[in-house]
Amino acid sequence: MREEQSKELIRKGISTITRLKRSKKEKIKIEKADKKTISYKDAKPGKIDVNEFKKAIYLLLEADDFLYKKAPKHELDEKESKEFCKLIMKCQDHLNRVLSNFGFEIEEKEMDEDALYIVSNKKLFKKLKNKNPNLKVVCTEGMLDIEDMKKIGVPENALVGLKKKIELARKNIEKFIEKYKPEKILVVIGDKKDELLYIRAKELYNAEKIDVDELLD
């Protein structure tokens, strides 16, 4: 039974790949310096990473939904395009890890060590540092302005105690900026509340934003 399910997943995944057509309009070209031609003939003996392989297939199945939802023209608006391409790129990352077990060296996206990352919670802070200990990451543990605390539903009687915390978070960011002089300041967006953090950080530090999925799988 399990074998049949796996075969069905693979069949659907292959079906999705074969039906994907390259757009005749503007295309995003991803170029790498000294790019080498990769051939299946270069594969070395190895072991299939079943977990990574299944993740790739499941992502393709999610992408496959767009073929039915947007038939017959398969035209996507900006939001849909981002969602679709996100699924394909994440799938590609998992497939690259599968290939790495067979001797293929495919570079993964590198995290910018010259940037300063601002996160709103300790959980995300730990995830980033675990992936790359050299990253410069500041955790605010909340918003950077008392008005934003109100917007996320913090009760009035709790706001007074949070003013000091906000001041410390700002000073901490400013210390990092002064010490490391980062090329970019990036607010990591994990949920809707982080959008408020980004808007304030943009106002204060000319920050940009980056989706958590671009950094972590």
Side-chain angles (χ1 to χ4, degrees), residues 44-50 97-103:
K44 295 178 173 58
K47 182 179 179 181
I48 298 173
D49 189 325
V50 178
R97 290 180 193 129
V98 173
L99 290 171
S100 68
N101 285 354
F102 298 93

Side-chain angles (χ1 to χ4, degrees), residues 16-200:
T16 298
I17 294 172
T18 55
R19 282 181 287 172
L20 291 176
K21 296 181 180 180
R22 295 185 65 186
S23 170
K24 293 181 181 180
K25 299 179 182 179
E26 294 182 4
K27 300 177 181 69
I28 298 174
K29 295 182 179 179
I30 303 173
E31 298 179 354
K32 290 185 178 180
D34 302 322
K35 185 177 180 181
K36 296 179 181 179
T37 303
I38 297 175
S39 170
Y40 68 90
K41 295 179 181 179
D42 298 323
K44 295 178 173 58
K47 182 179 179 181
I48 298 173
D49 189 325
V50 178
N51 188 43
E52 292 292 340
F53 184 73
K54 284 185 176 180
K55 285 180 180 178
I57 294 297
Y58 290 135
L59 285 165
L60 277 180
L61 291 177
E62 282 190 64
D64 186 64
D65 287 342
F66 281 90
L67 294 178
Y68 300 100
K69 290 176 181 177
K70 308 304 292 188
K73 292 185 177 181
H74 300 126
E75 294 178 354
L76 309 181
D77 60 27
E78 185 176 352
K79 182 181 178 182
E80 292 165 338
S81 296
K82 288 177 180 177
E83 290 175 356
F84 178 75
C85 291
K86 175 182 172 182
L87 291 169
I88 298 301
M89 289 179 178
K90 287 183 74 174
C91 172
Q92 185 179 42
D93 288 339
H94 291 301
L95 289 177
N96 285 346
R97 290 180 193 129
V98 173
L99 290 171
S100 68
N101 285 354
F102 298 93
F104 295 100
E105 295 183 7
I106 302 174
E107 292 183 9
E108 290 194 36
K109 292 178 288 186
E110 293 184 2
M111 301 172 82
D112 189 353
E113 294 183 6
D114 294 322
L116 172 62
Y117 295 87
I118 299 176
V119 299
S120 62
N121 61 80
K122 288 183 177 179
K123 185 178 179 180
L124 189 49
F125 175 88
K126 289 178 181 177
K127 284 183 177 180
L128 290 180
K129 293 298 282 187
N130 285 340
K131 184 161 185 179
N132 187 338
N134 296 323
L135 289 185
K136 304 171 187 67
V137 188
V138 178
C139 179
T140 62
E141 293 190 75
M143 301 293 108
L144 292 172
D145 192 276
I146 204 71
E147 292 302 317
D148 297 331
M149 289 292 194
K150 293 178 184 178
K151 290 176 184 176
I152 63 173
V154 176
E156 286 286 341
N157 59 358
L159 293 175
V160 176
L162 291 174
K163 285 184 178 180
K164 188 67 177 176
K165 189 176 183 179
I166 290 171
E167 288 175 13
L168 289 173
R170 285 196 184 192
K171 286 179 180 178
N172 202 19
I173 292 172
E174 289 160 9
K175 283 180 182 177
F176 267 75
I177 293 173
E178 185 179 350
K179 182 177 180 180
Y180 296 107
K181 296 178 174 54
E183 292 183 0
K184 288 182 182 177
I185 299 173
L186 301 169
V187 177
V188 182
I189 305 296
D191 56 35
K192 290 182 179 179
K193 292 180 181 178
D194 291 333
E195 289 287 350
L196 278 176
L197 178 63
Y198 157 65
I199 292 170
R200 191 65 63 181

